[in-house]
């Protein structure tokens, strides 16, 4: 029984890492700048390890949070999720799964960061959950708390430049 659980956990971890790499490559291509997968994937300073932040310099901490590290000069905090399912009907009230992701994102956010979650739901699609910023076109988005949820392609089609502007403002 233990062996089966270990194999399942490793399979899910690998699935997550694969989508993290995909998103880092996708963003690098879209912006012609280097986005890289964080090898610690936020695990070093996220969740129960949040107290580690106190023993790190600002630079060390910023490079160990989130799943993808943005280019120099980008104030962006990125989480990436790859799940089999999401109870989409709960997006109209409260979605515990999405609330957990948002909590993870906000736990490692810095002032001035653009907080964004890229998520893939198997056989459903790829999506973006981003905090509300006035420069973003939210006309095709579903509001959720202080965030908006978009289809990934629609989001970047309409908001690639505004996102970059929001992330690079000093």
């Amino acid at each position: 029984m233990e062996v089966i659980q270990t194999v399942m956990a490793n399979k899910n971890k690998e699935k997550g890492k694969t989508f993290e790499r995909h998103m880092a490559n996708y963003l690098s291509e879209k912006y012609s700048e280097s986005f890289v997968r964080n090898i610690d994937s936020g695990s070093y300073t996220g969740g129960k390890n949040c107290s580690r932040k106190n023993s790190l310099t600002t630079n060390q901490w910023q490079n160990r949070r989130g799943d993808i590290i943005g280019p120099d000069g980008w104030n962006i905090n990125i989480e990436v999720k790859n799940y089999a399912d999401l109870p989409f009907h709960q997006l109209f009230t409260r979605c515990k799964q999405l609330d957990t992701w948002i909590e993870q994102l906000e736990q490692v956010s810095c002032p001035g960061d653009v907080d964004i979650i890229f998520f893939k739901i198997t056989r459903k699609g790829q999506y973006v959950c981003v905090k509300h910023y006035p420069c973003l076109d939210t006309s095709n988005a579903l509001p959720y708390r202080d965030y908006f949820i978009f289809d990934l392609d629609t989001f970047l089609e309409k908001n690639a430049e505004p996102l970059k502007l929001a992330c690079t403002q000093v």
Side-chain angles (χ1 to χ4, degrees):
M1 188 79 164
E2 258 183 72
V3 173
I4 292 171
Q5 288 176 345
T6 302
V7 170
M8 180 81 90
N10 289 341
K11 182 180 175 188
N12 289 339
K13 247 186 202 181
E14 205 49 50
K15 182 178 165 184
K17 288 178 186 179
T18 298
F19 190 53
E20 289 170 3
R21 280 190 294 275
H22 166 77
M23 285 309 306
N25 291 337
Y26 184 87
L27 293 168
S28 293
E29 187 176 304
K30 183 75 177 173
Y31 288 102
S32 300
E33 295 193 54
S34 180
F35 288 80
V36 294
R37 180 181 168 270
N38 184 348
I39 57 169
D40 287 327
S41 292
S43 62
Y44 189 80
T45 57
K48 293 179 234 169
N49 298 323
C50 204
S51 63
R52 287 182 175 164
K53 177 182 174 185
N54 300 330
S55 65
L56 300 173
T57 67
T58 302
N59 253 2
Q60 288 172 326
W61 181 70
Q62 286 182 334
N63 288 326
R64 284 190 167 73
R65 64 192 181 97
D67 294 325
I68 296 176
I69 300 168
D72 288 344
W74 282 62
N75 297 318
I76 191 165
N77 179 28
I78 302 173
E79 284 292 321
V80 179
K81 305 294 181 186
N82 187 353
Y83 276 66
D85 199 17
L86 180 79
F88 282 95
H89 66 284
Q90 291 179 357
L91 295 178
F92 297 99
T93 54
R94 277 303 229 219
C95 179
K96 186 176 179 182
Q97 188 171 5
L98 186 56
D99 286 346
T100 300
W101 297 347
I102 289 171
E103 185 180 309
Q104 290 172 350
L105 180 73
E106 291 177 344
Q107 192 174 47
V108 296
S109 185
C110 289
D113 276 350
V114 172
D115 294 322
I116 190 165
I117 302 168
F118 293 103
F119 64 100
K120 177 180 178 178
I121 305 301
T122 305
R123 290 184 285 285
K124 300 259 187 326
Q126 297 176 19
Y127 305 93
V128 176
C129 178
V130 63
K131 202 157 199 163
H132 174 59
Y133 296 95
C135 62
L136 298 179
D137 179 346
T138 58
S139 58
N140 289 330
L142 174 68
Y144 184 82
R145 293 175 42 182
D146 294 335
Y147 289 79
F148 283 93
I149 301 169
F150 298 83
D151 168 77
L152 175 64
D153 292 331
T154 302
F155 174 75
L156 287 175
E157 184 179 299
K158 292 183 170 217
N159 289 299
E161 286 309 309
L163 178 66
K164 181 176 181 176
L165 180 66
C167 292
T168 56
Q169 288 180 342
V170 178

